[in-house]
C-alpha cells in the first residue's frame, strides 16, 4: 500500500507493524464483538438523499462547540495507552488535532500528562476522566485540568466494570500484566515495534496517575494501582453533580444511550453529551449510538450539544449523524491505527482524509454548509 486513501487502510498498516497482543487491544470488542458490527451497520441503514442543481462552489464544515470554532465536525476520541503502540503517540495526536483544528480528547489513561497535552494544543485538548473510587483523586484530576486551562471536561460513565474482552484475555493482556515467553515470541515477529518499545524503556508510564502512586513506582506498578481505582461502580449522578460543582467550564458526559439518562445529564448542568457505546468494547449486546441518537435528540432538543462516537469511519457517517441530530462525531480506533502505523504523518493523514470526505459528500448532496444539514437530506428505508 503506497499511501492510505481511507481510514480502513490504516487498520491494515497497523496490523502489519504491531504484535498481535497490541493490535488486538485496539481492534477488539466485548464478548462476541457483534456490537462493533452493529455500529457500522447502523450507518449503512441510512442513505443520503442528494439535491442537485445547487451552487456548491463554496463549502463550509466548520462547527462551534462550547464557544470555540473548529475546522471540521470531527475529533479524536479518548484512547488509553496509546504510547504502547507508538512512543509519543498521545503528543502526536494532540499535534494532529492542533494542525487540523479539531478536538483531541486526552484520555486520563494516556501516557501524556494533562499539563503537557495542554501545552501542545491549548485550544484543542479536552480532558476525559474516569471517576475513581477515591474522591480526593477525582477532585485533584479536575483541579489539574482546570489549572492547565483545559477547555472541556469529559466524564466517561459507561465503564462500571471491566468488560469481557476475550482477545485480551487469550493474548495475556490483563492486569497485572506480565511479559510471558509467548508474548515475547509473538512480539519478535514485529522487530521495528520491539526496537522502539525497548528504546523507550518498556511499558510506557500512565503519567496522569504517577502522582498518586508511591515515589519511584514503575510503569507496571502505576498501572496496577490504576486498576485498583477504576472501574468505580459506586459512581452515581451525585458523583457527577459534585464534579459539576467543582468544574466551572463546559462539562460533557460520554457514554449515554438512554434518553432518560440524557435528560438527567442536562438537569445536572452538563453542556454536552457524547452518545456512545464505547466502541462496543464494554457491552456487546447493546444498541448502536446512531440508532439511539434520534430519541436522545427528541428528549433533550437544543438544550445540550450532542456528539456521537462509535463506528464512525467515513465522512458520510458524520453527515448522516448530523442529519439525525449530532453536531459532531469523534472516533478513536482509526487514529490509533494511523499513529501506530505511520506516527505523526499517519495521525495528520487520518484527519485530513475525513475532512476531504466530508467536503466531497457535502458537495455531492448539494448542501454547502454542514450546519444546514437536517433530515431532509436523509432517506431511511422502512
Amino acid at each position: 500500500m503506497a499511501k492510505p486513501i481511507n481510514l480502513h487502510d490504516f487498520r491494515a498498516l497497523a496490523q502489519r507493524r504491531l504484535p498481535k497482543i497490541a493490535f488486538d487491544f485496539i481492534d477488539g470488542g466485548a464478548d462476541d464483538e457483534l456490537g462493533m458490527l452493529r455500529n457500522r451497520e447502523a450507518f449503512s441503514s441510512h442513505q443520503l438523499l442528494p439535491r442537485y442543481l445547487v451552487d456548491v462552489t463554496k463549502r463550509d464544515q466548520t462547527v462551534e462547540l462550547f464557544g470555540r470554532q473548529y475546522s471540521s465536525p470531527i475529533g479524536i476520541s479518548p484512547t488509553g495507552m496509546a504510547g504502547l503502540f507508538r512512543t509519543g503517540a498521545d503528543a502526536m495526536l494532540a499535534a494532529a488535532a492542533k494542525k487540523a483544528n479539531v478536538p483531541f480528547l486526552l484520555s486520563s489513561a494516556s501516557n501524556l500528562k494533562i499539563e503537557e497535552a495542554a501545552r501542545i494544543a491549548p485550544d484543542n485538548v479536552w480532558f476525559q476522566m474516569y471517576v475513581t473510587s477515591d474522591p480526593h483523586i477525582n477532585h485533584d484530576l479536575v483541579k489539574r485540568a482546570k489549572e492547565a486551562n483545559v477547555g472541556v471536561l469529559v466524564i466517561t460513565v459507561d465503564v462500571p466494570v471491566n468488560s469481557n474482552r476475550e482477545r485480551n484475555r487469550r493474548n495475556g493482556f490483563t492486569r497485572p500484566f506480565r511479559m510471558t515467553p509467548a508474548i515475547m515470541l509473538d512480539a519478535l515477529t514485529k522487530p521495528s515495534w520491539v526496537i522502539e518499545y525497548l528504546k523507550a524503556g518498556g511499558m510506557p508510564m500512565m503519567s496522569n496517575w504517577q502522582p498518586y502512586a508511591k515515589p519511584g513506582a514503575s510503569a507496571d506498578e502505576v498501572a496496577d494501582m490504576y486498576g485498583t481505582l477504576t472501574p468505580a461502580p459506586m459512581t452515581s449522578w451525585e458523583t457527577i453533580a459534585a464534579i459539576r460543582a467543582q468544574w466551572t467550564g463546559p462539562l460533557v458526559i460520554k457514554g449515554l444511550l438512554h434518553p432518560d439518562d440524557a435528560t438527567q445529564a442536562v438537569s445536572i448542568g452538563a453542556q454536552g453529551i457524547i452518545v456512545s457505546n464505547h466502541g462496543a468494547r464494554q457491552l456487546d449486546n447493546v444498541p448502536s449510538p446512531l440508532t439511539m441518537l434520534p430519541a436522545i435528540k427528541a428528549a433533550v432538543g437544543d438544550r445540550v450539544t450532542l456528539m456521537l462516537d462509535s463506528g464512525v469511519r467515513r465522512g458520510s457517517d458524520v453527515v448522516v449523524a448530523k442529519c439525525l441530530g449530532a453536531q459532531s462525531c469523534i472516533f478513536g480506533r482509526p487514529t490509533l491505527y494511523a499513529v501506530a502505523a505511520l506516527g505523526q504523518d499517519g495521525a495528520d493523514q487520518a484527519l485530513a482524509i475525513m475532512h476531504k470526505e466530508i467536503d466531497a459528500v457535502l458537495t455531492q448532496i448539494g448542501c454547502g454548509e454542514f450546519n444546514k444539514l437536517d433530515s431532509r437530506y436523509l432517506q431511511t428505508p422502512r
Side-chain angles (χ1 to χ4, degrees):
M1 189 183 303
K3 184 177 181 180
I5 61 172
N6 60 44
L7 295 193
H8 302 294
D9 289 345
F10 291 109
R11 179 182 181 275
L13 290 172
Q15 190 171 23
R16 282 165 50 180
R17 179 178 179 272
L18 296 175
K20 188 174 189 297
I21 187 172
F23 176 79
D24 279 354
F25 180 84
I26 304 174
D27 199 58
D31 295 343
D32 296 314
E33 300 188 348
L34 299 177
M36 294 195 298
L37 296 176
R38 279 194 297 276
N39 285 348
R40 290 299 303 140
E41 290 169 354
F43 287 102
S44 65
S45 68
H46 299 276
Q47 286 81 55
L48 292 167
L49 191 59
R51 300 298 304 271
Y52 295 118
L53 299 175
V54 177
D55 185 352
V56 284
T57 306
K58 297 180 180 179
R59 280 92 59 197
D60 181 9
Q61 58 179 280
T62 60
V63 293
E64 184 176 307
L65 302 172
F66 312 114
R68 286 184 177 170
Q69 191 170 73
Y70 297 97
S71 298
S72 191
I74 58 174
I76 301 175
S77 297
T79 47
M81 292 299 291
L84 176 64
F85 315 116
R86 168 79 67 172
T87 301
D90 294 302
M92 295 175 189
L93 293 171
K98 180 180 180 179
K99 179 179 179 180
N101 188 28
V102 299
F104 168 51
L105 282 63
L106 178 75
S107 171
S108 57
S110 68
N111 303 115
L112 185 69
K113 290 181 180 178
I114 309 169
E115 297 82 0
E116 294 172 353
R119 283 193 288 270
I120 294 170
D123 295 326
N124 301 90
V125 168
W126 301 2
F127 180 60
Q128 175 270 339
M129 67 174 283
Y130 291 109
V131 177
T132 77
S133 56
D134 187 332
H136 299 291
I137 292 179
N138 298 337
H139 186 277
D140 192 60
L141 285 170
V142 176
K143 177 174 176 285
R144 288 171 58 194
K146 188 174 181 180
E147 291 177 347
N149 293 317
V150 169
V152 179
L153 179 66
V154 181
I155 304 176
T156 296
V157 298
D158 58 0
V159 187
V161 66
N162 287 321
S163 62
N164 181 37
R165 300 178 190 174
E166 294 184 356
R167 289 205 222 181
N168 290 355
R169 292 172 59 193
R170 294 185 192 282
N171 291 335
F173 202 150
T174 57
R175 302 303 318 172
F177 177 74
R178 298 293 178 263
M179 188 67 79
T180 65
I183 293 173
M184 293 174 66
L185 185 62
D186 174 60
L188 289 173
T189 65
K190 310 292 183 179
S192 66
W193 179 87
V194 170
I195 292 169
E196 182 178 277
Y197 177 83
L198 294 175
K199 281 184 176 180
M203 184 65 69
M205 177 66 70
M206 298 178 70
S207 299
N208 284 316
W209 300 90
Q210 197 172 7
Y212 313 118
K214 66 182 182 181
S218 67
D220 279 317
E221 289 171 328
V222 171
D224 290 341
M225 179 209 64
Y226 170 79
T228 67
L229 294 167
T230 63
M234 73 290 295
T235 303
S236 66
W237 286 111
E238 288 73 21
T239 313
I240 306 302
I243 294 173
R244 170 71 284 176
Q246 180 190 358
W247 177 255
T248 56
L251 179 70
V252 175
I253 308 299
K254 179 178 182 291
L256 299 182
L257 290 171
H258 200 291
D260 291 348
D261 286 345
T263 301
Q264 181 72 5
V266 175
S267 71
I268 67 162
Q271 284 93 354
I273 293 172
I274 299 175
V275 186
S276 170
N277 64 16
H278 215 100
R281 290 167 69 82
Q282 283 301 118
L283 183 63
D284 192 30
N285 189 13
V286 66
S288 73
L290 191 74
T291 300
M292 298 308 302
L293 180 59
I296 290 178
K297 177 64 176 178
V300 302
D302 296 325
R303 294 179 293 162
V304 68
T305 297
L306 284 182
M307 293 166 281
L308 184 132
D309 163 89
S310 303
V312 177
R313 297 293 183 272
R314 286 283 186 180
S316 57
D317 297 340
V318 181
V319 172
V320 167
K322 171 61 175 171
C323 291
L324 292 174
Q327 290 166 259
S328 181
C329 290
I330 60 175
F331 43 88
R333 283 189 181 96
T335 44
L336 264 190
Y337 294 139
V339 76
L342 300 174
Q344 185 67 65
D345 188 48
D348 293 342
Q349 286 186 52
L351 296 177
I353 285 170
M354 284 296 277
H355 187 281
K356 184 177 180 180
E357 287 190 4
I358 292 168
D359 181 73
V361 173
L362 291 177
T363 309
Q364 182 66 45
I365 66 174
C367 182
E369 294 184 42
F370 181 82
N371 287 323
K372 290 186 176 180
L373 290 167
D374 57 29
S375 59
R376 293 173 296 172
Y377 292 93
L378 205 61
Q379 175 67 28
T380 303
R382 295 180 182 272

